[in-house]
Amino acid sequence: MKILVIGGTGVISRELVRQLADSGMETSIVNRGRRSISLPSGVEVLHMDRKNKEGFAKLFENRKYDAVIDMVAFEEADARQTVEIFRNKTNQIMIVSSVAAYERPIRAIPTREDQVTLWKKDTGYTYGYKKAVLERYLNSESDAGVPITIIRPSLTFGDGARNVGVLRQNMGIIERIRRGKPLIMFGDGNHPWSFTFTPDLARMMIRLLGNRKAIGEAFHLVSQEQNNWLDLYYGFGKITGKEPELVHIASPVLYKQNPELFGHIYFEKSHSGYFSNTKYLDATGDSFTNMTLDQGLQQLKESWERDGLQVDPKLDVMEDTMIEAVRRGYEALNSLT
């Protein structure tokens, strides 16, 4: 198969490109060329900013592919550009959306694709709302006969991930555990969640390429290991050799303190996020065995250490300050009894 990946250098897409090349597919990527990473031998690299609409369209005037995978469609305009360029130049357009496109709360656990509603309005979680608008556009094009497959990952980590933790503090999680410093947890941390790792997601995406059952459909591609947010932190504790101390703060309090940093917590992650892969399994016949949380976190730790990732001092001070404020609040409450 001849495959084009729009993007190709992000956390998910670099693993996807690696697996595509390893499976013998003729693989091309197109991006702005601003990120330098090692790519498998034989991968064609095209440099073009999709915001240069004329240049992007001209680049593909005389190119055809068996499938086009858009990893960087964040809003309707991006998806529209991909569909307009490739509707007659490929057998399948695969667009990566997100479970963030779903309105919360979600009642059904695990959740199937037919049990959820896309965000109807922008309540402040603009990322999820834009993905919902994007999907509604794609559904209209799919109904008109364009061969579209929508992928909805959950929170996905992998080599190069820099969005791990409540504060997205990454290596700061491990260092705070090592130093005996507490970490913030939103709510009680007990609600179910699908933590997914890039090797699994990439493999599932490839299984849907060229699959007639995937055309005109949307799929959850997530880990089937049911975890909660406490498991994430206790998992880091296991590989660090020290149990973490957690300070619990309600998600509305976090959001009010810093809407930009904690919007993803308040609107999405403070609700259940455990999704079913049944539709994918039915379409592919895959005997699915996912990477465990412990395995994935060990790989994350090793990649951070390999890359020399440092603690973000601003986030570290912010976490200290917020925890100290909570403790002062508890002391004030105890003084009333």
Side-chain angles (χ1 to χ4, degrees), residues 13 30 61 64 67 79 86 107 112 133 152 159 186 192-193 204 210 214 229 239 253 289 295 301 315-316 323:
S13 54
V30 58
E61 267 183 349
K64 292 188 176 182
F86 295 104
R107 304 299 182 190
R112 300 192 313 267
V133 173
R152 295 180 187 139
D159 194 345
F186 61 97
W193 194 265
M204 289 188 284
W229 279 86
I239 60 178
V253 175
T289 302
Q295 290 170 333
K301 174 178 177 289
L315 289 178
D316 200 44
I323 288 170

PDB file of all heavy atoms in Angstrom, residues 13 30 61 64 67 79 86 107 112 133 152 159 186 192-193 204 210 214 229 239 253 289 295 301 315-316 323:
ATOM      1  N   SER A  13       2.329   9.938  15.687  1.00  0.00           N
ATOM      2  CA  SER A  13       2.614   9.713  14.270  1.00  0.00           C
ATOM      3  C   SER A  13       4.008   9.155  14.021  1.00  0.00           C
ATOM      4  O   SER A  13       4.220   8.407  13.054  1.00  0.00           O
ATOM      5  CB  SER A  13       2.382  10.987  13.463  1.00  0.00           C
ATOM      6  OG  SER A  13       3.097  12.072  13.977  1.00  0.00           O
ATOM      7  N   VAL A  30       4.220  14.451   5.209  1.00  0.00           N
ATOM      8  CA  VAL A  30       4.301  15.854   4.834  1.00  0.00           C
ATOM      9  C   VAL A  30       4.086  16.696   6.076  1.00  0.00           C
ATOM     10  O   VAL A  30       3.146  16.479   6.844  1.00  0.00           O
ATOM     11  CB  VAL A  30       3.282  16.227   3.735  1.00  0.00           C
ATOM     12  CG1 VAL A  30       1.855  15.922   4.151  1.00  0.00           C
ATOM     13  CG2 VAL A  30       3.417  17.702   3.337  1.00  0.00           C
ATOM     14  N   GLU A  61      -1.041  17.652  -6.572  1.00  0.00           N
ATOM     15  CA  GLU A  61      -1.803  17.676  -7.818  1.00  0.00           C
ATOM     16  C   GLU A  61      -1.712  16.364  -8.587  1.00  0.00           C
ATOM     17  O   GLU A  61      -2.714  15.857  -9.107  1.00  0.00           O
ATOM     18  CB  GLU A  61      -1.315  18.818  -8.722  1.00  0.00           C
ATOM     19  CG  GLU A  61      -2.081  20.104  -8.567  1.00  0.00           C
ATOM     20  CD  GLU A  61      -1.605  21.173  -9.532  1.00  0.00           C
ATOM     21  OE1 GLU A  61      -0.553  20.991 -10.178  1.00  0.00           O
ATOM     22  OE2 GLU A  61      -2.307  22.194  -9.644  1.00  0.00           O
ATOM     23  N   LYS A  64      -1.190  10.237  -5.994  1.00  0.00           N
ATOM     24  CA  LYS A  64      -2.304   9.442  -5.487  1.00  0.00           C
ATOM     25  C   LYS A  64      -1.792   8.451  -4.455  1.00  0.00           C
ATOM     26  O   LYS A  64      -0.632   8.012  -4.518  1.00  0.00           O
ATOM     27  CB  LYS A  64      -3.006   8.703  -6.634  1.00  0.00           C
ATOM     28  CG  LYS A  64      -3.738   9.620  -7.602  1.00  0.00           C
ATOM     29  CD  LYS A  64      -4.565   8.823  -8.603  1.00  0.00           C
ATOM     30  CE  LYS A  64      -5.367   9.750  -9.503  1.00  0.00           C
ATOM     31  NZ  LYS A  64      -6.217   8.993 -10.466  1.00  0.00           N
ATOM     32  N   ALA A  67      -4.097   5.294   0.863  1.00  0.00           N
ATOM     33  CA  ALA A  67      -4.729   5.874   2.050  1.00  0.00           C
ATOM     34  C   ALA A  67      -3.982   7.125   2.467  1.00  0.00           C
ATOM     35  O   ALA A  67      -2.751   7.209   2.321  1.00  0.00           O
ATOM     36  CB  ALA A  67      -4.759   4.872   3.208  1.00  0.00           C
ATOM     37  N   ALA A  79      -9.717  19.442   8.280  1.00  0.00           N
ATOM     38  CA  ALA A  79     -10.337  18.264   7.679  1.00  0.00           C
ATOM     39  C   ALA A  79     -10.883  18.577   6.295  1.00  0.00           C
ATOM     40  O   ALA A  79     -10.766  17.768   5.357  1.00  0.00           O
ATOM     41  CB  ALA A  79     -11.450  17.746   8.586  1.00  0.00           C
ATOM     42  N   PHE A  86      -7.955  15.290  -1.470  1.00  0.00           N
ATOM     43  CA  PHE A  86      -7.746  13.861  -1.691  1.00  0.00           C
ATOM     44  C   PHE A  86      -9.018  13.062  -1.981  1.00  0.00           C
ATOM     45  O   PHE A  86      -8.928  11.846  -2.155  1.00  0.00           O
ATOM     46  CB  PHE A  86      -7.027  13.256  -0.474  1.00  0.00           C
ATOM     47  CG  PHE A  86      -5.643  13.788  -0.265  1.00  0.00           C
ATOM     48  CD1 PHE A  86      -5.393  14.708   0.747  1.00  0.00           C
ATOM     49  CD2 PHE A  86      -4.605  13.405  -1.098  1.00  0.00           C
ATOM     50  CE1 PHE A  86      -4.104  15.209   0.940  1.00  0.00           C
ATOM     51  CE2 PHE A  86      -3.324  13.909  -0.917  1.00  0.00           C
ATOM     52  CZ  PHE A  86      -3.071  14.809   0.103  1.00  0.00           C
ATOM     53  N   ARG A 107     -22.305   8.172  30.749  1.00  0.00           N
ATOM     54  CA  ARG A 107     -22.899   7.254  31.726  1.00  0.00           C
ATOM     55  C   ARG A 107     -22.489   5.799  31.506  1.00  0.00           C
ATOM     56  O   ARG A 107     -22.309   5.052  32.456  1.00  0.00           O
ATOM     57  CB  ARG A 107     -24.428   7.351  31.679  1.00  0.00           C
ATOM     58  CG  ARG A 107     -24.962   8.769  31.905  1.00  0.00           C
ATOM     59  CD  ARG A 107     -24.588   9.307  33.257  1.00  0.00           C
ATOM     60  NE  ARG A 107     -25.142  10.649  33.490  1.00  0.00           N
ATOM     61  CZ  ARG A 107     -24.806  11.423  34.510  1.00  0.00           C
ATOM     62  NH1 ARG A 107     -23.913  11.012  35.382  1.00  0.00           N
ATOM     63  NH2 ARG A 107     -25.352  12.621  34.654  1.00  0.00           N
ATOM     64  N   ARG A 112     -19.347   2.577  24.214  1.00  0.00           N
ATOM     65  CA  ARG A 112     -19.287   2.290  22.780  1.00  0.00           C
ATOM     66  C   ARG A 112     -19.483   3.574  21.974  1.00  0.00           C
ATOM     67  O   ARG A 112     -19.998   4.576  22.481  1.00  0.00           O
ATOM     68  CB  ARG A 112     -20.363   1.282  22.377  1.00  0.00           C
ATOM     69  CG  ARG A 112     -20.293  -0.069  23.060  1.00  0.00           C
ATOM     70  CD  ARG A 112     -21.223  -1.054  22.352  1.00  0.00           C
ATOM     71  NE  ARG A 112     -22.537  -0.477  22.096  1.00  0.00           N
ATOM     72  CZ  ARG A 112     -23.587  -0.589  22.895  1.00  0.00           C
ATOM     73  NH1 ARG A 112     -23.475  -1.248  24.041  1.00  0.00           N
ATOM     74  NH2 ARG A 112     -24.755  -0.040  22.574  1.00  0.00           N
ATOM     75  N   VAL A 133     -17.003  19.566  15.955  1.00  0.00           N
ATOM     76  CA  VAL A 133     -17.397  20.259  14.717  1.00  0.00           C
ATOM     77  C   VAL A 133     -16.741  19.596  13.515  1.00  0.00           C
ATOM     78  O   VAL A 133     -17.376  19.377  12.468  1.00  0.00           O
ATOM     79  CB  VAL A 133     -17.022  21.755  14.795  1.00  0.00           C
ATOM     80  CG1 VAL A 133     -17.259  22.447  13.467  1.00  0.00           C
ATOM     81  CG2 VAL A 133     -17.826  22.444  15.902  1.00  0.00           C
ATOM     82  N   ARG A 152     -10.784   7.730  17.074  1.00  0.00           N
ATOM     83  CA  ARG A 152     -10.922   8.459  18.333  1.00  0.00           C
ATOM     84  C   ARG A 152     -10.047   7.821  19.409  1.00  0.00           C
ATOM     85  O   ARG A 152     -10.485   6.910  20.120  1.00  0.00           O
ATOM     86  CB  ARG A 152     -12.382   8.457  18.798  1.00  0.00           C
ATOM     87  CG  ARG A 152     -13.332   9.202  17.875  1.00  0.00           C
ATOM     88  CD  ARG A 152     -14.740   9.151  18.407  1.00  0.00           C
ATOM     89  NE  ARG A 152     -15.698   9.722  17.457  1.00  0.00           N
ATOM     90  CZ  ARG A 152     -16.899   9.208  17.210  1.00  0.00           C
ATOM     91  NH1 ARG A 152     -17.287   8.108  17.858  1.00  0.00           N
ATOM     92  NH2 ARG A 152     -17.704   9.779  16.349  1.00  0.00           N
ATOM     93  N   ASP A 159       6.898   7.489  23.345  1.00  0.00           N
ATOM     94  CA  ASP A 159       8.219   8.106  23.259  1.00  0.00           C
ATOM     95  C   ASP A 159       8.074   9.550  22.789  1.00  0.00           C
ATOM     96  O   ASP A 159       7.482   9.820  21.746  1.00  0.00           O
ATOM     97  CB  ASP A 159       9.072   7.319  22.268  1.00  0.00           C
ATOM     98  CG  ASP A 159      10.546   7.670  22.359  1.00  0.00           C
ATOM     99  OD1 ASP A 159      10.879   8.704  22.966  1.00  0.00           O
ATOM    100  OD2 ASP A 159      11.365   6.917  21.808  1.00  0.00           O
ATOM    101  N   PHE A 186      -6.624  15.343  41.081  1.00  0.00           N
ATOM    102  CA  PHE A 186      -7.928  15.986  40.982  1.00  0.00           C
ATOM    103  C   PHE A 186      -9.016  15.022  41.457  1.00  0.00           C
ATOM    104  O   PHE A 186      -9.006  13.837  41.131  1.00  0.00           O
ATOM    105  CB  PHE A 186      -8.203  16.460  39.552  1.00  0.00           C
ATOM    106  CG  PHE A 186      -8.218  15.376  38.519  1.00  0.00           C
ATOM    107  CD1 PHE A 186      -9.418  14.812  38.107  1.00  0.00           C
ATOM    108  CD2 PHE A 186      -7.037  14.913  37.957  1.00  0.00           C
ATOM    109  CE1 PHE A 186      -9.435  13.813  37.150  1.00  0.00           C
ATOM    110  CE2 PHE A 186      -7.053  13.927  36.996  1.00  0.00           C
ATOM    111  CZ  PHE A 186      -8.254  13.373  36.590  1.00  0.00           C
ATOM    112  N   PRO A 192     -12.784   5.568  36.224  1.00  0.00           N
ATOM    113  CA  PRO A 192     -12.061   4.752  35.249  1.00  0.00           C
ATOM    114  C   PRO A 192     -11.559   5.556  34.059  1.00  0.00           C
ATOM    115  O   PRO A 192     -12.177   6.539  33.646  1.00  0.00           O
ATOM    116  CB  PRO A 192     -13.108   3.717  34.809  1.00  0.00           C
ATOM    117  CG  PRO A 192     -14.422   4.351  35.110  1.00  0.00           C
ATOM    118  CD  PRO A 192     -14.208   5.220  36.307  1.00  0.00           C
ATOM    119  N   TRP A 193     -10.434   5.093  33.512  1.00  0.00           N
ATOM    120  CA  TRP A 193      -9.820   5.803  32.392  1.00  0.00           C
ATOM    121  C   TRP A 193      -9.037   4.832  31.518  1.00  0.00           C
ATOM    122  O   TRP A 193      -8.492   3.842  32.015  1.00  0.00           O
ATOM    123  CB  TRP A 193      -8.883   6.891  32.914  1.00  0.00           C
ATOM    124  CG  TRP A 193      -8.506   7.847  31.821  1.00  0.00           C
ATOM    125  CD1 TRP A 193      -7.392   7.801  31.037  1.00  0.00           C
ATOM    126  CD2 TRP A 193      -9.288   8.952  31.348  1.00  0.00           C
ATOM    127  NE1 TRP A 193      -7.417   8.817  30.110  1.00  0.00           N
ATOM    128  CE2 TRP A 193      -8.578   9.540  30.286  1.00  0.00           C
ATOM    129  CE3 TRP A 193     -10.504   9.494  31.733  1.00  0.00           C
ATOM    130  CZ2 TRP A 193      -9.042  10.638  29.590  1.00  0.00           C
ATOM    131  CZ3 TRP A 193     -10.974  10.588  31.044  1.00  0.00           C
ATOM    132  CH2 TRP A 193     -10.254  11.162  29.992  1.00  0.00           C
ATOM    133  N   MET A 204      -3.279  -0.601  15.716  1.00  0.00           N
ATOM    134  CA  MET A 204      -4.707  -0.666  15.425  1.00  0.00           C
ATOM    135  C   MET A 204      -5.066   0.192  14.217  1.00  0.00           C
ATOM    136  O   MET A 204      -5.903  -0.195  13.388  1.00  0.00           O
ATOM    137  CB  MET A 204      -5.505  -0.247  16.659  1.00  0.00           C
ATOM    138  CG  MET A 204      -5.450  -1.269  17.786  1.00  0.00           C
ATOM    139  SD  MET A 204      -6.565  -0.886  19.166  1.00  0.00           S
ATOM    140  CE  MET A 204      -5.658   0.423  19.980  1.00  0.00           C
ATOM    141  N   GLY A 210      -7.226   0.058   4.437  1.00  0.00           N
ATOM    142  CA  GLY A 210      -7.667  -0.847   3.385  1.00  0.00           C
ATOM    143  C   GLY A 210      -8.779  -1.790   3.799  1.00  0.00           C
ATOM    144  O   GLY A 210      -9.121  -2.712   3.061  1.00  0.00           O
ATOM    145  N   ALA A 214     -14.116  -0.349   7.631  1.00  0.00           N
ATOM    146  CA  ALA A 214     -13.737   0.893   8.305  1.00  0.00           C
ATOM    147  C   ALA A 214     -14.264   2.127   7.592  1.00  0.00           C
ATOM    148  O   ALA A 214     -14.292   3.215   8.181  1.00  0.00           O
ATOM    149  CB  ALA A 214     -12.219   0.983   8.411  1.00  0.00           C
ATOM    150  N   TRP A 229      -7.078   7.211  37.621  1.00  0.00           N
ATOM    151  CA  TRP A 229      -5.978   8.175  37.680  1.00  0.00           C
ATOM    152  C   TRP A 229      -5.026   7.917  38.839  1.00  0.00           C
ATOM    153  O   TRP A 229      -3.837   8.257  38.762  1.00  0.00           O
ATOM    154  CB  TRP A 229      -6.539   9.596  37.725  1.00  0.00           C
ATOM    155  CG  TRP A 229      -6.907  10.041  36.354  1.00  0.00           C
ATOM    156  CD1 TRP A 229      -8.080   9.823  35.698  1.00  0.00           C
ATOM    157  CD2 TRP A 229      -6.066  10.737  35.431  1.00  0.00           C
ATOM    158  NE1 TRP A 229      -8.034  10.341  34.425  1.00  0.00           N
ATOM    159  CE2 TRP A 229      -6.814  10.914  34.230  1.00  0.00           C
ATOM    160  CE3 TRP A 229      -4.782  11.246  35.490  1.00  0.00           C
ATOM    161  CZ2 TRP A 229      -6.298  11.562  33.111  1.00  0.00           C
ATOM    162  CZ3 TRP A 229      -4.264  11.896  34.375  1.00  0.00           C
ATOM    163  CH2 TRP A 229      -5.011  12.047  33.213  1.00  0.00           C
ATOM    164  N   ILE A 239       7.795   2.157  39.785  1.00  0.00           N
ATOM    165  CA  ILE A 239       9.068   2.151  39.063  1.00  0.00           C
ATOM    166  C   ILE A 239      10.090   3.076  39.719  1.00  0.00           C
ATOM    167  O   ILE A 239      11.283   2.983  39.437  1.00  0.00           O
ATOM    168  CB  ILE A 239       8.884   2.527  37.580  1.00  0.00           C
ATOM    169  CG1 ILE A 239       8.290   3.916  37.416  1.00  0.00           C
ATOM    170  CG2 ILE A 239       8.016   1.501  36.880  1.00  0.00           C
ATOM    171  CD1 ILE A 239       8.132   4.340  35.956  1.00  0.00           C
ATOM    172  N   VAL A 253     -12.051  23.643  41.486  1.00  0.00           N
ATOM    173  CA  VAL A 253     -11.098  24.527  42.168  1.00  0.00           C
ATOM    174  C   VAL A 253      -9.847  24.705  41.305  1.00  0.00           C
ATOM    175  O   VAL A 253      -9.330  25.816  41.145  1.00  0.00           O
ATOM    176  CB  VAL A 253     -10.739  23.970  43.557  1.00  0.00           C
ATOM    177  CG1 VAL A 253      -9.655  24.820  44.218  1.00  0.00           C
ATOM    178  CG2 VAL A 253     -11.978  23.903  44.441  1.00  0.00           C
ATOM    179  N   THR A 289      -4.181  -7.503  22.460  1.00  0.00           N
ATOM    180  CA  THR A 289      -3.487  -7.520  23.751  1.00  0.00           C
ATOM    181  C   THR A 289      -2.705  -6.228  23.846  1.00  0.00           C
ATOM    182  O   THR A 289      -1.778  -5.992  23.063  1.00  0.00           O
ATOM    183  CB  THR A 289      -2.524  -8.719  23.871  1.00  0.00           C
ATOM    184  OG1 THR A 289      -3.254  -9.927  23.690  1.00  0.00           O
ATOM    185  CG2 THR A 289      -1.864  -8.731  25.241  1.00  0.00           C
ATOM    186  N   GLN A 295       4.105  -1.316  31.903  1.00  0.00           N
ATOM    187  CA  GLN A 295       5.068  -1.373  30.794  1.00  0.00           C
ATOM    188  C   GLN A 295       5.209  -0.016  30.127  1.00  0.00           C
ATOM    189  O   GLN A 295       6.321   0.431  29.818  1.00  0.00           O
ATOM    190  CB  GLN A 295       4.603  -2.407  29.764  1.00  0.00           C
ATOM    191  CG  GLN A 295       4.688  -3.842  30.225  1.00  0.00           C
ATOM    192  CD  GLN A 295       3.991  -4.797  29.267  1.00  0.00           C
ATOM    193  OE1 GLN A 295       3.064  -4.418  28.552  1.00  0.00           O
ATOM    194  NE2 GLN A 295       4.424  -6.042  29.267  1.00  0.00           N
ATOM    195  N   LYS A 301       9.489   6.608  31.362  1.00  0.00           N
ATOM    196  CA  LYS A 301      10.586   6.984  32.247  1.00  0.00           C
ATOM    197  C   LYS A 301      11.928   6.858  31.520  1.00  0.00           C
ATOM    198  O   LYS A 301      12.767   7.767  31.590  1.00  0.00           O
ATOM    199  CB  LYS A 301      10.584   6.097  33.492  1.00  0.00           C
ATOM    200  CG  LYS A 301      11.765   6.283  34.434  1.00  0.00           C
ATOM    201  CD  LYS A 301      11.620   5.381  35.651  1.00  0.00           C
ATOM    202  CE  LYS A 301      12.824   5.477  36.577  1.00  0.00           C
ATOM    203  NZ  LYS A 301      14.031   4.826  35.982  1.00  0.00           N
ATOM    204  N   LEU A 315       6.282  24.816  37.075  1.00  0.00           N
ATOM    205  CA  LEU A 315       5.247  23.875  37.482  1.00  0.00           C
ATOM    206  C   LEU A 315       5.529  23.327  38.876  1.00  0.00           C
ATOM    207  O   LEU A 315       4.609  23.096  39.666  1.00  0.00           O
ATOM    208  CB  LEU A 315       5.141  22.727  36.474  1.00  0.00           C
ATOM    209  CG  LEU A 315       4.547  23.063  35.109  1.00  0.00           C
ATOM    210  CD1 LEU A 315       4.551  21.827  34.216  1.00  0.00           C
ATOM    211  CD2 LEU A 315       3.129  23.614  35.239  1.00  0.00           C
ATOM    212  N   ASP A 316       6.803  23.109  39.180  1.00  0.00           N
ATOM    213  CA  ASP A 316       7.176  22.575  40.486  1.00  0.00           C
ATOM    214  C   ASP A 316       6.797  23.560  41.590  1.00  0.00           C
ATOM    215  O   ASP A 316       6.229  23.179  42.624  1.00  0.00           O
ATOM    216  CB  ASP A 316       8.671  22.287  40.516  1.00  0.00           C
ATOM    217  CG  ASP A 316       9.058  21.314  41.612  1.00  0.00           C
ATOM    218  OD1 ASP A 316       8.357  20.298  41.780  1.00  0.00           O
ATOM    219  OD2 ASP A 316      10.072  21.567  42.293  1.00  0.00           O
ATOM    220  N   ILE A 323      -0.411  23.154  46.962  1.00  0.00           N
ATOM    221  CA  ILE A 323      -0.494  22.176  48.048  1.00  0.00           C
ATOM    222  C   ILE A 323      -0.415  22.871  49.404  1.00  0.00           C
ATOM    223  O   ILE A 323      -1.148  22.534  50.338  1.00  0.00           O
ATOM    224  CB  ILE A 323       0.607  21.108  47.891  1.00  0.00           C
ATOM    225  CG1 ILE A 323       0.261  20.199  46.701  1.00  0.00           C
ATOM    226  CG2 ILE A 323       0.777  20.294  49.169  1.00  0.00           C
ATOM    227  CD1 ILE A 323       1.380  19.268  46.290  1.00  0.00           C
TER     228      ILE A 323
END
